Amino acid sequence: MRAHKSLVLVLSTLLAATAHAGELRVVNAGQDVSDANPQASYWQKAPVETVVLTGQPMITPRPATTTTTTVQVQAVHDGQWVAFRLRWKDPERSGAGRLGEFSDAAAIQFPIKEGPPPPVFMGTKDNPVHIYHWRAQYQDDRLKGKPGMRELYPNMAVDLYPLEFSDPGHVGRFDEAETDTFSPGRASGNPQSFVKTGVDEIYAEGFSTSSVQAGNRSVADGRFENGEWTLVIARKMTSDGGSKLESGKKGYAAFAIWQGGQGEVGSRKSVTMQWIPFDVETPREARR
């Protein structure tokens, strides 16, 4: 086991140090980019970089194929916010819901500490990473409301489903504290137990250490059309306790894509095998 972990660490370090296929430019948009609008005019200023992905290695069973081989990436900022636009092919839109159904998803990962980045696979102890994880399911919940059990399983039969009585329309409605009795995760403040708004912010220090952060300020908007997702994730350039992007400085990012309709969830995904460097353009550079 120790030999296996050492091999993973060495391989990750080598991959992070290899030559990069391309370098992103985070263009100064000269206008507010915090709306996460995939159709905004400022995307015309941002060059497109093709980022190569591969099926997640070092899991069992390893994916037989790479479902998403490339993702088209653009990036802009306004001095306060930075936005990344991702475009990738997907044969179907998957929003999950029922048991055994999984959601299309995407993630962007950044190092937290300054200096050389950690191994690209979720960082290491004392050298963590900051991940922004969007899911189509979360976006659907925000726009349409989280579906109830009777919507997901219309033919189900139960005597009582307590969470339904948080609906003001029910006689004998439970208050929030009483409803939480039947949702211990929510009662204990677990961020994963609450309705999502689109993006999770996650800190990690290696495999199996992901920790969802409460109270994030990131936003996202994904559009699916003609077999392609166009997704924008926008975040503050400076995050308290998290990663920081600065005008005029270099940074690093890594990307992951899940195709829920192909059974991808958790570690089953397509990922970048190395950090992608980027330069954050200054206002002076934008005027040239």
Side-chain angles (χ1 to χ4, degrees), residues 29-287:
Q31 64 186 93
D32 183 11
V33 304
S34 65
D35 58 349
N37 181 1
Q39 305 302 325
S41 60
Y42 49 71
W43 293 115
Q44 299 175 13
K45 303 179 181 180
V48 180
E49 181 67 37
T50 299
V51 174
V52 176
L53 307 176
T54 190
Q56 169 75 60
M58 292 170 282
I59 62 170
T60 303
R62 190 183 186 282
T65 61
T66 299
T67 56
T68 307
T69 57
T70 60
V71 57
Q72 307 294 313
V73 182
Q74 296 170 276
V76 295
H77 78 94
D78 60 16
Q80 299 295 320
W81 284 76
V82 61
F84 288 79
R85 184 166 80 157
L86 314 181
R87 290 186 294 120
W88 70 94
K89 300 292 184 182
D90 191 330
E92 60 182 330
R93 187 191 193 284
S94 303
R98 298 183 180 184
L99 290 174
E101 296 179 351
F102 306 115
S103 176
D104 294 335
I108 309 176
Q109 174 181 276
F110 303 92
I112 290 179
K113 291 186 174 181
E114 294 186 9
V120 74
F121 292 109
M122 309 293 285
T124 59
K125 185 172 177 57
D126 299 324
N127 202 349
V129 294
H130 188 176
I131 301 167
Y132 291 81
H133 181 212
W134 169 90
R135 294 176 62 175
Q137 181 182 17
Y138 295 167
Q139 181 168 303
D140 290 345
D141 289 349
R142 173 172 59 85
L143 296 176
K144 305 173 185 177
K146 194 172 184 64
M149 292 294 292
R150 296 186 188 279
E151 292 176 84
L152 295 173
Y153 301 99
N155 298 319
M156 66 181 283
V158 294
D159 294 326
L160 176 69
Y161 193 69
L163 294 184
E164 288 184 349
F165 289 86
S166 62
D167 185 336
H170 281 282
V171 177
R173 174 177 177 252
F174 293 168
D175 63 28
E176 186 172 351
E178 291 172 320
T179 302
D180 282 350
T181 301
F182 304 97
S183 180
R186 195 166 69 189
S188 65
N190 184 344
Q192 291 291 65
S193 299
F194 291 86
V195 174
K196 304 292 186 176
T197 59
V199 187
D200 269 339
E201 289 191 31
I202 300 168
Y203 294 167
E205 292 184 305
F207 289 121
S208 303
T209 64
S210 299
S211 175
V212 176
Q213 305 301 301
N216 68 70
R217 293 191 59 193
S218 51
V219 295
D221 187 6
R223 313 275 178 89
F224 185 79
E225 186 175 12
N226 299 323
E228 181 178 77
W229 274 107
T230 301
L231 166 69
V232 175
I233 296 177
R235 51 157 290 185
K236 296 282 288 186
M237 292 184 70
T238 299
S239 173
D240 293 340
S243 56
K244 181 168 64 175
L245 283 65
E246 296 183 71
S247 180
K249 291 191 176 182
K250 184 180 292 291
Y252 297 89
F255 303 90
I257 301 293
W258 289 259
Q259 290 194 22
Q262 299 299 313
E264 294 188 335
V265 66
S267 296
R268 298 196 299 271
K269 58 184 181 290
S270 299
V271 297
T272 49
M273 294 291 289
Q274 61 186 32
W275 290 102
I276 307 299
F278 59 81
D279 286 308
V280 183
E281 188 178 74
T282 65
R284 179 176 299 177
E285 290 173 323
R287 289 195 295 267

